[in-house]
Amino acid sequence: MVPSISLIAAVTALSAIANGALVRVSDFGKNPTNLQMNIYVPTKLADKPPVILALHPCGGTGEQFAQMTKYNSLSDSKGFITIFPSTKKDNNCWEVNTSKGLSRDAGGDNEGLSNMVKYTLKKYNADETKVFVTGSSSGCMMTNVMLATYPDLFNAASCYSGVAAGCLAGSPGASPQSADPTCANGKVVKTSAEWAAQVKAMYPGFNGTYPRMATWHGTADTFVNYPNLAEQLKEWSGLLGVTFAKNVTNTPQSGYTQMVYGDGTKLLGYSCQGVGHTVPVHENDDLKWFGL
């Protein structure tokens, strides 16, 4: 039987959206909070491709974050896969405040996100040693949480204008409309050891190495206030066993200061002078940090 022209066209169209376009994936495994998964697979996919999980800010969607950033165009030349999920609850803000959302495999947004990554690794024979997470604002908050609750899944992270994992613990919500403002106002202050202990309690018994982190924050941020940068750096310096080494001014651009911990391979902070909420995404710097 000769296939009809309409059938051939449909198959051609389907193959066209499978690679080189953002595609919705409906069945990627356990999804306790009903997240949406969108995935971008470049036409020229690398052998054993790296995977980036990219998390939108409050009020946003995965589709919008894909349009806001340059990860997809960069993946076309480098061959990595990008996952752009969406949450539809609490003003489209990620669940970084509840006990289940701050625990491993306990039914929070983080569990659904981890299953998106695991699905992608299996379906595309992706490289388990090159899995990364990034995000802006609420997406940065969830980036911190993903490293805390699934440290064995990721290799590194870079995020913008967020807060330390656990900063919003116990808040009635995670959005500007529903959250206790203490965290966003930069008033949750702990020692490095206290932050590290809080993170370790999110995944008890984990004895491995936590992923590398680079985190960016604007000094003029009055929405998620600038002191949250210091709290993130205290948290990850304790978990990664590194201490502050030096500042490198005007890096990667004028007015930005790179804050180097240890030898600079495990933890970096970026203080962005005069920048409000949020710091613009620096995709090329992210990929350099990821080693891509």
Side-chain angles (χ1 to χ4, degrees), residues 49-71:
V51 176
I52 297 176
L53 177 67
L55 303 170
H56 65 70
C58 276
T61 66
E63 295 93 334
Q64 289 173 351
F65 200 49
Q67 294 176 346
M68 287 169 53
T69 58
K70 300 175 183 175
Y71 296 117

Side-chain angles (χ1 to χ4, degrees), residues 196-215:
Q198 185 170 2
V199 167
K200 289 178 180 178
M202 297 181 194
Y203 181 14
F206 177 65
N207 294 317
T209 301
Y210 281 88
R212 300 179 295 113
M213 171 61 111
T215 183

Side-chain angles (χ1 to χ4, degrees), residues 101-124:
L102 294 170
S103 302
R104 182 182 176 93
D105 295 340
D109 282 355
N110 57 337
E111 184 174 2
L113 293 171
S114 73
N115 286 330
M116 293 181 193
V117 173
K118 293 171 185 175
Y119 164 90
T120 303
L121 287 168
K122 183 176 181 180
K123 180 173 179 61
Y124 295 97

Side-chain angles (χ1 to χ4, degrees), residues 247-253 255-259 269-273:
N247 284 331
V248 183
T249 58
N250 296 317
T251 301
Q253 67 190 66
Y256 284 47
T257 298
Q258 184 187 69
M259 307 160 75
Y270 289 91
S271 175
C272 311
Q273 185 63 38

Side-chain angles (χ1 to χ4, degrees), residues 230-265:
E231 299 308 305
Q232 287 181 79
L233 292 170
K234 283 193 284 184
E235 182 169 82
W236 293 106
S237 63
L239 291 163
L240 293 166
V242 291
T243 56
F244 175 76
K246 62 180 178 180
N247 284 331
V248 183
T249 58
N250 296 317
T251 301
Q253 67 190 66
S254 178
Y256 284 47
T257 298
Q258 184 187 69
M259 307 160 75
V260 179
Y261 284 72
D263 63 2
T265 62

Side-chain angles (χ1 to χ4, degrees), residues 69-288:
T69 58
K70 300 175 183 175
Y71 296 117
N72 287 350
S73 60
L74 289 166
S75 77
D76 286 335
S77 60
K78 293 181 177 291
F80 60 83
I81 296 169
T82 313
I83 303 166
F84 291 96
S86 299
T87 177
K88 300 299 184 180
K89 296 180 181 179
D90 196 3
N91 300 289
N92 291 25
C93 299
W94 298 103
E95 183 185 13
V96 295
N97 58 306
T98 68
S99 58
K100 64 185 176 68
L102 294 170
S103 302
R104 182 182 176 93
D105 295 340
D109 282 355
N110 57 337
E111 184 174 2
L113 293 171
S114 73
N115 286 330
M116 293 181 193
V117 173
K118 293 171 185 175
Y119 164 90
T120 303
L121 287 168
K122 183 176 181 180
K123 180 173 179 61
Y124 295 97
N125 191 32
D127 191 340
E128 294 182 354
T129 70
K130 295 181 180 179
V131 181
F132 311 101
V133 57
T134 188
S136 178
S137 191
S138 178
C140 182
M141 298 178 191
M142 181 54 88
T143 295
N144 280 267
V145 170
M146 293 308 295
L147 294 196
T149 53
Y150 294 91
D152 51 339
L153 189 58
F154 298 97
N155 307 101
S158 176
C159 70
Y160 302 83
S161 310
V163 303
C167 184
L168 274 161
S171 170
S175 70
Q177 295 85 354
S178 63
D180 179 332
T182 307
C183 173
N185 288 342
K187 302 297 186 182
V188 177
V189 178
K190 300 184 181 185
T191 67
S192 181
E194 288 170 338
W195 279 122
Q198 185 170 2
V199 167
K200 289 178 180 178
M202 297 181 194
Y203 181 14
F206 177 65
N207 294 317
T209 301
Y210 281 88
R212 300 179 295 113
M213 171 61 111
T215 183
W216 308 60
H217 218 109
T219 63
D221 192 339
T222 58
F223 197 66
V224 178
N225 288 6
Y226 180 68
N228 282 297
L229 175 61
E231 299 308 305
Q232 287 181 79
L233 292 170
K234 283 193 284 184
E235 182 169 82
W236 293 106
S237 63
L239 291 163
L240 293 166
V242 291
T243 56
F244 175 76
K246 62 180 178 180
N247 284 331
V248 183
T249 58
N250 296 317
T251 301
Q253 67 190 66
S254 178
Y256 284 47
T257 298
Q258 184 187 69
M259 307 160 75
V260 179
Y261 284 72
D263 63 2
T265 62
K266 293 182 179 180
L267 179 62
L268 296 174
Y270 289 91
S271 175
C272 311
Q273 185 63 38
V275 178
H277 192 77
T278 63
V279 175
V281 175
H282 286 60
E283 297 91 344
N284 287 308
D285 292 288
D286 290 343
L287 296 190
K288 182 180 178 181

